[in-house]
Amino acid sequence: MTSPPDTPGWKVDPAGGRLAGMATEQKARIGVTGLAVMGSNLARNLARHGFRVAVHNRSEARTKQLVDQHGHEGDFVPAVELADFVDSLATPRQVIIMVKAGEPTDAVIDELVELLEPGDMVVDGGNAHYADTRRREAALRERGLHFVGTGISGGEEGALNGPSIMPGGSVESYQHLGPVLETIAAQVDGQPCCTHVGADGAGHFVKMVHNGIEYADMQLIAEAFDLLRNVAGLAPAEIAEVFRRWNSGDLESYLVEITAEVLGHVDAATGRPFVDVVADRAEQKGTGRWTVQEALELGVPVTGIAEAVFARSLSGHTEQRAAARAALPGPQGQPSIPDRDAFIEDIRQALYASKVVAYAQGFDEIRTAAQTFGWDIDLGAMATIWRGGCIIRARFLERIKSAYDADPDLPSLLVDTYFAGAVAKAQQAWRRVVAAAVGAGVAVPGFSSALAYYDALRSDRLPAALIQGLRDFFGAHTYRRVDREGVFHTLWSEGREEVDA
């Protein structure tokens, strides 16, 4: 392998192109392997905060590029070979892996463990599935190594300037690693947006749900845009101003803020609103889908997140949509909105109420997973670390933190005094918006599913009683009664006597 050039910070043995031996005081505090944009920015963040950072990439050119372009930002210790990278780290070694999730991560781990010693720490900062993290943590624990599955939210900008960080793993590993992560995390009101989430896969599970909520949040914002444009009749630039106003109130959030920016942008090539030249097919990388799949396994209804995932899937079925446009009629005539300003306010309230439902469902999934897997997750702390750095940062996370601080065993965020009052206050506007959308033929799966969840949750009796009766009729699946204990079955094909099951 060709040795890197004589660049400040490179410590190279001229005889073989390998890192020369280093005195203990010269060793790096932490290392990053995998220097694509996220890994490179995270390494720069660490260096900017005064940490000596070992850096490594399979492609030597990426390592050189980082040092050439950003070596002035801090103290980097680059290495060509993985063995030299490991040797450059102070003990207990702390290695952050920033490579593609799945098999590439496993490949790097397999190489690393042969070079590490008991007590060393491997930190996976990618979007790994929490089940993979649990498997890896158990395997490395047997070798005396700490494996820390760590959710990192905030994208490229967050990685560089301060992300929200969700580390799992052992308490002992966090005692060593936590001070570093808390230093580079986003800071809100003097508090780092980083805390120990829980054992083994807890960090990656929470990051997964964070991304699921993000899916729901974006879908709801998109539905609000659709209503403002196709029912209220506003142009994209006017809608941008609406979102700017909304961002100064209860809806204040990063996503609402950047919605205004995107809607206000004009395409330089055509002079048209940018949103009109973008194909209406929303992509996804899988974390939202994972959130729904795991919720199904846990028996937690996350209808808002599920609708957001399915809406993206439907957007990609372009041939099916084209055939449907030609074959399926919509409602006759144009929607009538007698008071446009009042309707805009209704949409604002419906958006807020629907967002509360999405967050409530996400927190329900985290709580249920914690109970299932034995993770001691502080839900109020999760709201705290999502206040800055991450994509779903929003003003009302302060309210969520307060709700769980007041009652850590809150059965649902929706029954908290503040949120129950806020959603109840918005419900009439919410219902008007959903009704107007249905009348206009505008699909609002996020708004309508959130309202349906609200109504189902507050119902005295659900039609599930009939479903259970049907199940017992065709499959002898039994049922319970409201007036006495036990499990029962009716002999439907005989005399319809009820028997104990």
Side-chain angles (χ1 to χ4, degrees):
M1 181 177 288
T2 305
S3 301
D6 186 14
T7 304
W10 287 93
K11 298 175 175 60
V12 178
D13 178 357
R18 295 175 63 81
L19 193 71
M22 299 174 64
T24 301
E25 64 272 11
Q26 294 177 313
K27 301 250 182 187
R29 175 69 168 81
I30 194 166
V32 178
T33 180
L35 301 177
V37 176
M38 282 290 290
S40 177
N41 281 2
L42 194 67
R44 292 171 59 196
N45 187 353
L46 287 159
R48 287 176 172 187
H49 282 88
F51 297 106
R52 176 169 287 178
V53 186
V55 289
H56 167 268
N57 194 77
R58 285 187 182 277
S59 165
E60 179 185 324
R62 282 193 186 274
T63 312
K64 179 182 182 301
Q65 181 182 37
L66 171 62
V67 176
D68 284 349
Q69 294 182 0
H70 306 291
H72 63 281
E73 294 181 346
D75 193 355
F76 294 102
V77 182
V80 175
E81 305 291 347
L82 191 64
D84 298 327
F85 169 73
V86 170
D87 186 58
S88 72
L89 292 163
T91 56
R93 298 176 183 88
Q94 300 172 3
V95 179
I96 301 177
I97 300 173
M98 297 297 291
V99 301
K100 187 177 179 180
E103 292 182 2
T105 298
D106 279 325
V108 173
I109 292 170
D110 289 344
E111 284 189 72
L112 272 173
V113 295
E114 299 302 325
L115 302 169
L116 298 175
E117 299 173 345
D120 289 348
M121 287 160 246
V122 178
V123 183
D124 178 11
N127 270 334
H129 192 283
Y130 82 97
D132 287 338
T133 301
R134 299 191 78 202
R135 168 179 57 80
R136 292 163 181 156
E137 193 276 337
L140 268 64
R141 188 176 353 114
E142 289 186 358
R143 303 183 67 134
L145 300 171
H146 296 279
F147 187 78
V148 184
T150 302
I152 300 176
S153 178
E156 300 170 11
E157 180 184 351
L160 180 62
N161 298 315
S164 174
I165 308 179
M166 295 152 260
S170 67
V171 173
E172 181 185 351
S173 66
Y174 193 78
Q175 289 172 346
H176 291 277
L177 185 65
V180 177
L181 298 182
E182 290 179 10
T183 299
I184 67 166
Q187 309 288 317
V188 176
D189 297 333
Q191 290 183 287
C193 293
C194 173
T195 191
H196 181 235
V197 175
D200 53 70
H204 274 143
F205 190 95
V206 167
K207 174 57 163 58
M208 175 190 75
V209 175
H210 163 285
N211 285 21
I213 294 172
E214 179 185 307
Y215 274 54
D217 208 339
M218 284 193 283
Q219 175 64 25
L220 293 168
I221 287 171
E223 290 178 17
F225 157 72
D226 205 10
L227 290 164
L228 289 167
R229 185 165 204 188
N230 293 312
V231 181
L234 275 65
E238 294 175 299
I239 301 172
E241 289 306 314
V242 169
F243 274 93
R244 287 193 180 96
R245 292 198 304 272
W246 287 354
N247 196 47
S248 64
D250 288 341
L251 284 172
E252 180 187 341
S253 68
Y254 174 69
L255 284 172
V256 169
E257 175 188 343
I258 66 172
T259 296
E261 295 301 314
V262 172
L263 289 175
H265 183 55
V266 175
D267 177 55
T270 63
R272 297 171 61 193
F274 170 76
V275 74
D276 287 346
V277 300
V278 176
D280 62 335
R281 298 190 300 273
E283 305 291 340
Q284 52 184 312
K285 291 187 175 180
T287 46
R289 184 168 61 250
W290 289 351
T291 305
V292 177
Q293 290 169 339
E294 295 307 319
L296 288 170
E297 291 295 327
L298 293 167
V300 181
V302 292
T303 53
I305 298 170
E307 290 293 352
V309 171
F310 289 133
R312 292 196 191 190
S313 297
L314 186 139
S315 75
H317 288 266
T318 53
E319 292 183 5
Q320 192 178 55
R321 291 171 57 201
R325 279 196 298 274
L328 304 177
Q332 297 293 320
Q334 295 296 316
S336 175
I337 304 297
D339 187 336
R340 194 170 74 168
D341 289 342
F343 185 61
I344 292 170
E345 171 58 18
D346 279 355
I347 295 172
R348 184 194 69 80
Q349 293 189 47
L351 176 58
Y352 185 79
S354 299
K355 281 163 68 80
V356 172
V357 168
Y359 279 74
Q361 292 178 347
F363 275 91
D364 286 348
E365 183 170 358
I366 293 172
R367 183 184 65 247
T368 304
Q371 294 168 347
T372 302
F373 300 117
W375 298 329
D376 185 17
I377 298 181
D378 182 339
L379 296 179
M382 297 308 98
T384 300
I385 66 173
W386 288 350
R387 294 180 304 162
C390 71
I391 304 302
I392 64 171
R393 59 186 183 266
R395 176 188 290 190
F396 81 163
L397 282 162
E398 292 282 1
R399 299 282 192 180
I400 295 176
K401 176 184 182 300
S402 298
Y404 285 113
D405 284 350
D407 183 2
D409 298 320
L410 197 64
S412 168
L413 192 62
L414 288 168
V415 304
D416 168 71
T417 302
Y418 171 79
F419 286 112
V423 173
K425 182 179 178 182
Q427 71 161 310
Q428 293 307 319
W430 199 2
R431 296 182 193 283
R432 286 192 294 268
V433 167
V434 171
V438 171
V442 174
V444 287
F447 280 2
S448 56
S449 70
L451 181 57
Y453 178 84
Y454 171 85
D455 282 335
L457 199 64
R458 65 173 190 81
S459 293
D460 181 53
R461 287 220 10 121
L462 293 170
L466 175 58
I467 294 172
Q468 201 61 12
L470 296 172
R471 293 181 73 243
D472 189 62
F473 190 104
F474 67 69
H477 291 297
T478 74
Y479 54 88
R480 296 180 183 274
R481 297 178 60 97
V482 298
D483 54 356
R484 63 179 184 270
E485 294 296 320
V487 179
F488 305 94
H489 167 57
T490 293
L491 303 174
W492 296 101
S493 61
E494 301 176 26
R496 300 203 173 186
E497 296 91 352
E498 182 177 79
V499 297
D500 292 333

